[in-house]
PDB file of all heavy atoms in Angstrom:
ATOM      1  N   ASN A1042       1.134   0.428 -12.683  1.00 95.00           N
ATOM      2  CA  ASN A1042       1.833  -0.297 -11.625  1.00 95.00           C
ATOM      3  C   ASN A1042       2.942   0.545 -10.998  1.00 95.00           C
ATOM      4  O   ASN A1042       3.991   0.042 -10.670  1.00 95.00           O
ATOM      5  CB  ASN A1042       2.373  -1.612 -12.180  1.00 95.00           C
ATOM      6  CG  ASN A1042       2.633  -2.592 -11.045  1.00 95.00           C
ATOM      7  OD1 ASN A1042       1.955  -2.557 -10.005  1.00 95.00           O
ATOM      8  ND2 ASN A1042       3.668  -3.421 -11.190  1.00 95.00           N
ATOM      9  N   ARG A1043       2.681   1.816 -10.756  1.00 95.00           N
ATOM     10  CA  ARG A1043       3.652   2.658 -10.130  1.00 95.00           C
ATOM     11  C   ARG A1043       2.918   3.922  -9.553  1.00 95.00           C
ATOM     12  O   ARG A1043       1.797   4.204  -9.926  1.00 95.00           O
ATOM     13  CB  ARG A1043       4.749   3.118 -11.062  1.00 95.00           C
ATOM     14  CG  ARG A1043       4.333   3.966 -12.205  1.00 95.00           C
ATOM     15  CD  ARG A1043       5.564   4.436 -12.985  1.00 95.00           C
ATOM     16  NE  ARG A1043       5.136   5.250 -14.235  1.00 95.00           N
ATOM     17  CZ  ARG A1043       4.944   6.538 -14.140  1.00 95.00           C
ATOM     18  NH1 ARG A1043       4.990   7.196 -12.987  1.00 95.00           N
ATOM     19  NH2 ARG A1043       4.638   7.205 -15.236  1.00 95.00           N
ATOM     20  N   ARG A1044       3.647   4.599  -8.673  1.00 95.00           N
ATOM     21  CA  ARG A1044       3.116   5.831  -8.137  1.00 95.00           C
ATOM     22  C   ARG A1044       3.101   6.958  -9.207  1.00 95.00           C
ATOM     23  O   ARG A1044       4.055   7.058  -9.949  1.00 95.00           O
ATOM     24  CB  ARG A1044       3.925   6.276  -6.941  1.00 95.00           C
ATOM     25  CG  ARG A1044       3.323   7.384  -6.108  1.00 95.00           C
ATOM     26  CD  ARG A1044       4.120   7.619  -4.872  1.00 95.00           C
ATOM     27  NE  ARG A1044       3.472   8.579  -4.023  1.00 95.00           N
ATOM     28  CZ  ARG A1044       3.542   9.845  -4.035  1.00 95.00           C
ATOM     29  NH1 ARG A1044       4.273  10.444  -5.046  1.00 95.00           N
ATOM     30  NH2 ARG A1044       2.878  10.685  -3.214  1.00 95.00           N
ATOM     31  N   ILE A1045       2.009   7.719  -9.234  1.00 91.00           N
ATOM     32  CA  ILE A1045       1.964   8.815 -10.183  1.00 91.00           C
ATOM     33  C   ILE A1045       1.746  10.139  -9.448  1.00 91.00           C
ATOM     34  O   ILE A1045       1.356  10.146  -8.273  1.00 91.00           O
ATOM     35  CB  ILE A1045       0.774   8.608 -11.198  1.00 91.00           C
ATOM     36  CG1 ILE A1045      -0.566   8.474 -10.472  1.00 91.00           C
ATOM     37  CG2 ILE A1045       1.071   7.373 -12.006  1.00 91.00           C
ATOM     38  CD1 ILE A1045      -1.680   8.416 -11.359  1.00 91.00           C
ATOM     39  N   THR A1046       2.075  11.310 -10.099  1.00 89.00           N
ATOM     40  CA  THR A1046       1.959  12.548  -9.489  1.00 89.00           C
ATOM     41  C   THR A1046       0.535  13.062  -9.487  1.00 89.00           C
ATOM     42  O   THR A1046      -0.136  12.989 -10.521  1.00 89.00           O
ATOM     43  CB  THR A1046       2.867  13.573 -10.195  1.00 89.00           C
ATOM     44  OG1 THR A1046       4.250  13.095 -10.184  1.00 89.00           O
ATOM     45  CG2 THR A1046       2.794  14.905  -9.531  1.00 89.00           C
ATOM     46  N   GLY A1047       0.060  13.562  -8.330  1.00 91.00           N
ATOM     47  CA  GLY A1047      -1.281  14.089  -8.260  1.00 91.00           C
ATOM     48  C   GLY A1047      -1.357  15.563  -8.520  1.00 91.00           C
ATOM     49  O   GLY A1047      -0.388  16.229  -8.801  1.00 91.00           O
ATOM     50  N   ASN A1048      -2.563  16.092  -8.403  1.00 92.00           N
ATOM     51  CA  ASN A1048      -2.815  17.540  -8.652  1.00 92.00           C
ATOM     52  C   ASN A1048      -3.579  18.147  -7.469  1.00 92.00           C
ATOM     53  O   ASN A1048      -4.214  17.453  -6.752  1.00 92.00           O
ATOM     54  CB  ASN A1048      -3.630  17.697  -9.945  1.00 92.00           C
ATOM     55  CG  ASN A1048      -2.925  17.316 -11.176  1.00 92.00           C
ATOM     56  OD1 ASN A1048      -2.110  17.999 -11.711  1.00 92.00           O
ATOM     57  ND2 ASN A1048      -3.273  16.107 -11.664  1.00 92.00           N
ATOM     58  N   ASP A1049      -3.397  19.431  -7.295  1.00 93.00           N
ATOM     59  CA  ASP A1049      -4.180  20.181  -6.318  1.00 93.00           C
ATOM     60  C   ASP A1049      -5.156  21.071  -6.955  1.00 93.00           C
ATOM     61  O   ASP A1049      -4.983  21.489  -8.087  1.00 93.00           O
ATOM     62  CB  ASP A1049      -3.162  21.049  -5.519  1.00 93.00           C
ATOM     63  CG  ASP A1049      -2.027  20.313  -4.772  1.00 93.00           C
ATOM     64  OD1 ASP A1049      -2.249  19.101  -4.676  1.00 93.00           O
ATOM     65  OD2 ASP A1049      -1.088  20.919  -4.383  1.00 93.00           O
ATOM     66  N   LEU A1050      -6.283  21.275  -6.244  1.00 90.00           N
ATOM     67  CA  LEU A1050      -7.307  22.105  -6.793  1.00 90.00           C
ATOM     68  C   LEU A1050      -8.132  22.720  -5.626  1.00 90.00           C
ATOM     69  O   LEU A1050      -8.443  22.054  -4.711  1.00 90.00           O
ATOM     70  CB  LEU A1050      -8.282  21.361  -7.737  1.00 90.00           C
ATOM     71  CG  LEU A1050      -9.526  22.078  -8.193  1.00 90.00           C
ATOM     72  CD1 LEU A1050      -9.186  23.218  -9.098  1.00 90.00           C
ATOM     73  CD2 LEU A1050     -10.556  21.108  -8.849  1.00 90.00           C
ATOM     74  N   ASP A1051      -8.449  24.011  -5.791  1.00 90.00           N
ATOM     75  CA  ASP A1051      -9.367  24.651  -4.850  1.00 90.00           C
ATOM     76  C   ASP A1051     -10.224  25.620  -5.622  1.00 90.00           C
ATOM     77  O   ASP A1051      -9.697  26.657  -6.138  1.00 90.00           O
ATOM     78  CB  ASP A1051      -8.604  25.390  -3.712  1.00 90.00           C
ATOM     79  CG  ASP A1051      -9.514  25.878  -2.645  1.00 90.00           C
ATOM     80  OD1 ASP A1051     -10.760  26.006  -2.891  1.00 90.00           O
ATOM     81  OD2 ASP A1051      -9.034  26.207  -1.533  1.00 90.00           O
ATOM     82  N   ASP A1052     -11.462  25.326  -5.763  1.00 86.00           N
ATOM     83  CA  ASP A1052     -12.369  26.188  -6.638  1.00 86.00           C
ATOM     84  C   ASP A1052     -12.876  27.379  -5.881  1.00 86.00           C
ATOM     85  O   ASP A1052     -13.618  28.160  -6.480  1.00 86.00           O
ATOM     86  CB  ASP A1052     -13.544  25.352  -7.271  1.00 86.00           C
ATOM     87  CG  ASP A1052     -14.541  24.981  -6.206  1.00 86.00           C
ATOM     88  OD1 ASP A1052     -14.400  25.253  -4.947  1.00 86.00           O
ATOM     89  OD2 ASP A1052     -15.522  24.251  -6.542  1.00 86.00           O
ATOM     90  N   ALA A1053     -12.544  27.467  -4.579  1.00 83.00           N
ATOM     91  CA  ALA A1053     -12.977  28.680  -3.799  1.00 83.00           C
ATOM     92  C   ALA A1053     -14.451  28.908  -3.853  1.00 83.00           C
ATOM     93  O   ALA A1053     -14.889  30.062  -3.708  1.00 83.00           O
ATOM     94  CB  ALA A1053     -12.140  29.902  -4.233  1.00 83.00           C
ATOM     95  N   GLY A1054     -15.157  27.856  -4.042  1.00 81.00           N
ATOM     96  CA  GLY A1054     -16.651  28.025  -4.089  1.00 81.00           C
ATOM     97  C   GLY A1054     -17.212  28.587  -5.314  1.00 81.00           C
ATOM     98  O   GLY A1054     -18.384  28.926  -5.449  1.00 81.00           O
ATOM     99  N   LYS A1055     -16.408  28.675  -6.398  1.00 83.00           N
ATOM    100  CA  LYS A1055     -16.884  29.247  -7.641  1.00 83.00           C
ATOM    101  C   LYS A1055     -17.807  28.341  -8.367  1.00 83.00           C
ATOM    102  O   LYS A1055     -18.774  28.815  -9.060  1.00 83.00           O
ATOM    103  CB  LYS A1055     -15.679  29.549  -8.601  1.00 83.00           C
ATOM    104  CG  LYS A1055     -14.666  30.497  -7.980  1.00 83.00           C
ATOM    105  CD  LYS A1055     -15.247  31.900  -7.760  1.00 83.00           C
ATOM    106  CE  LYS A1055     -14.233  32.887  -7.331  1.00 83.00           C
ATOM    107  NZ  LYS A1055     -14.810  34.225  -6.999  1.00 83.00           N
ATOM    108  N   GLY A1056     -17.639  27.089  -8.241  1.00 74.00           N
ATOM    109  CA  GLY A1056     -18.613  26.118  -8.850  1.00 74.00           C
ATOM    110  C   GLY A1056     -18.328  25.835 -10.323  1.00 74.00           C
ATOM    111  O   GLY A1056     -18.954  24.883 -10.906  1.00 74.00           O
ATOM    112  N   LEU A1057     -17.453  26.526 -11.012  1.00 84.00           N
ATOM    113  CA  LEU A1057     -17.114  26.269 -12.396  1.00 84.00           C
ATOM    114  C   LEU A1057     -15.587  26.403 -12.564  1.00 84.00           C
ATOM    115  O   LEU A1057     -15.044  27.414 -12.210  1.00 84.00           O
ATOM    116  CB  LEU A1057     -17.803  27.223 -13.332  1.00 84.00           C
ATOM    117  CG  LEU A1057     -17.464  27.108 -14.803  1.00 84.00           C
ATOM    118  CD1 LEU A1057     -17.826  25.751 -15.344  1.00 84.00           C
ATOM    119  CD2 LEU A1057     -18.154  28.261 -15.628  1.00 84.00           C
ATOM    120  N   VAL A1058     -14.995  25.358 -13.088  1.00 86.00           N
ATOM    121  CA  VAL A1058     -13.523  25.324 -13.324  1.00 86.00           C
ATOM    122  C   VAL A1058     -13.348  24.956 -14.784  1.00 86.00           C
ATOM    123  O   VAL A1058     -13.884  23.965 -15.254  1.00 86.00           O
ATOM    124  CB  VAL A1058     -12.743  24.430 -12.373  1.00 86.00           C
ATOM    125  CG1 VAL A1058     -11.329  24.443 -12.715  1.00 86.00           C
ATOM    126  CG2 VAL A1058     -12.988  24.861 -10.871  1.00 86.00           C
ATOM    127  N   ILE A1059     -12.528  25.714 -15.494  1.00 89.00           N
ATOM    128  CA  ILE A1059     -12.132  25.415 -16.853  1.00 89.00           C
ATOM    129  C   ILE A1059     -10.760  24.834 -16.908  1.00 89.00           C
ATOM    130  O   ILE A1059      -9.835  25.518 -16.454  1.00 89.00           O
ATOM    131  CB  ILE A1059     -12.276  26.674 -17.779  1.00 89.00           C
ATOM    132  CG1 ILE A1059     -13.741  27.218 -17.773  1.00 89.00           C
ATOM    133  CG2 ILE A1059     -11.854  26.324 -19.218  1.00 89.00           C
ATOM    134  CD1 ILE A1059     -13.921  28.494 -18.518  1.00 89.00           C
ATOM    135  N   ILE A1060     -10.634  23.669 -17.399  1.00 88.00           N
ATOM    136  CA  ILE A1060      -9.331  23.014 -17.481  1.00 88.00           C
ATOM    137  C   ILE A1060      -8.729  23.173 -18.893  1.00 88.00           C
ATOM    138  O   ILE A1060      -9.388  22.826 -19.897  1.00 88.00           O
ATOM    139  CB  ILE A1060      -9.465  21.463 -17.161  1.00 88.00           C
ATOM    140  CG1 ILE A1060     -10.170  21.229 -15.844  1.00 88.00           C
ATOM    141  CG2 ILE A1060      -8.115  20.864 -17.118  1.00 88.00           C
ATOM    142  CD1 ILE A1060      -9.522  21.875 -14.684  1.00 88.00           C
ATOM    143  N   THR A1061      -7.543  23.833 -18.957  1.00 90.00           N
ATOM    144  CA  THR A1061      -6.931  24.032 -20.287  1.00 90.00           C
ATOM    145  C   THR A1061      -5.558  23.434 -20.232  1.00 90.00           C
ATOM    146  O   THR A1061      -4.951  23.142 -19.166  1.00 90.00           O
ATOM    147  CB  THR A1061      -6.824  25.516 -20.620  1.00 90.00           C
ATOM    148  OG1 THR A1061      -5.937  26.135 -19.582  1.00 90.00           O
ATOM    149  CG2 THR A1061      -8.267  26.198 -20.518  1.00 90.00           C
ATOM    150  N   GLY A1062      -4.926  23.329 -21.421  1.00 88.00           N
ATOM    151  CA  GLY A1062      -3.603  22.824 -21.482  1.00 88.00           C
ATOM    152  C   GLY A1062      -3.320  22.138 -22.863  1.00 88.00           C
ATOM    153  O   GLY A1062      -4.242  21.940 -23.668  1.00 88.00           O
ATOM    154  N   ALA A1063      -2.124  21.816 -23.120  1.00 90.00           N
ATOM    155  CA  ALA A1063      -1.713  21.197 -24.384  1.00 90.00           C
ATOM    156  C   ALA A1063      -2.285  19.769 -24.557  1.00 90.00           C
ATOM    157  O   ALA A1063      -2.641  19.144 -23.561  1.00 90.00           O
ATOM    158  CB  ALA A1063      -0.204  21.144 -24.498  1.00 90.00           C
ATOM    159  N   ASN A1064      -2.271  19.253 -25.739  1.00 90.00           N
ATOM    160  CA  ASN A1064      -2.709  17.892 -25.988  1.00 90.00           C
ATOM    161  C   ASN A1064      -1.734  16.971 -25.264  1.00 90.00           C
ATOM    162  O   ASN A1064      -0.540  17.191 -25.186  1.00 90.00           O
ATOM    163  CB  ASN A1064      -2.669  17.566 -27.490  1.00 90.00           C
ATOM    164  CG  ASN A1064      -3.744  18.263 -28.245  1.00 90.00           C
ATOM    165  OD1 ASN A1064      -4.750  18.688 -27.672  1.00 90.00           O
ATOM    166  ND2 ASN A1064      -3.596  18.472 -29.561  1.00 90.00           N
ATOM    167  N   GLN A1065      -2.310  15.878 -24.731  1.00 86.00           N
ATOM    168  CA  GLN A1065      -1.575  14.907 -23.909  1.00 86.00           C
ATOM    169  C   GLN A1065      -1.010  15.519 -22.691  1.00 86.00           C
ATOM    170  O   GLN A1065       0.034  15.032 -22.156  1.00 86.00           O
ATOM    171  CB  GLN A1065      -0.444  14.266 -24.825  1.00 86.00           C
ATOM    172  CG  GLN A1065      -0.948  13.563 -26.102  1.00 86.00           C
ATOM    173  CD  GLN A1065      -1.896  12.424 -25.783  1.00 86.00           C
ATOM    174  OE1 GLN A1065      -1.575  11.602 -24.940  1.00 86.00           O
ATOM    175  NE2 GLN A1065      -3.010  12.357 -26.485  1.00 86.00           N
ATOM    176  N   GLY A1066      -1.519  16.588 -22.218  1.00 84.00           N
ATOM    177  CA  GLY A1066      -1.054  17.291 -21.067  1.00 84.00           C
ATOM    178  C   GLY A1066      -1.578  16.799 -19.714  1.00 84.00           C
ATOM    179  O   GLY A1066      -1.202  17.332 -18.683  1.00 84.00           O
ATOM    180  N   GLY A1067      -2.576  15.882 -19.797  1.00 86.00           N
ATOM    181  CA  GLY A1067      -3.106  15.317 -18.586  1.00 86.00           C
ATOM    182  C   GLY A1067      -4.456  15.818 -18.196  1.00 86.00           C
ATOM    183  O   GLY A1067      -4.955  15.529 -17.050  1.00 86.00           O
TER     184      GLY A1067
END
């Protein structure tokens, strides 16, 4: 019930993106 922060992404036509980060990092 509030506004949340979004994310930006541009895969530059690569077709495969690997998402990494800490636990509970989103």
Side-chain angles (χ1 to χ4, degrees):
N1042 198 34
R1043 65 176 177 83
R1044 190 175 189 275
I1045 59 175
T1046 302
N1048 294 282
D1049 301 344
L1050 172 67
D1051 189 341
D1052 69 1
K1055 299 297 184 182
L1057 175 63
V1058 177
I1059 299 176
I1060 308 299
T1061 64
N1064 290 339
Q1065 303 299 313

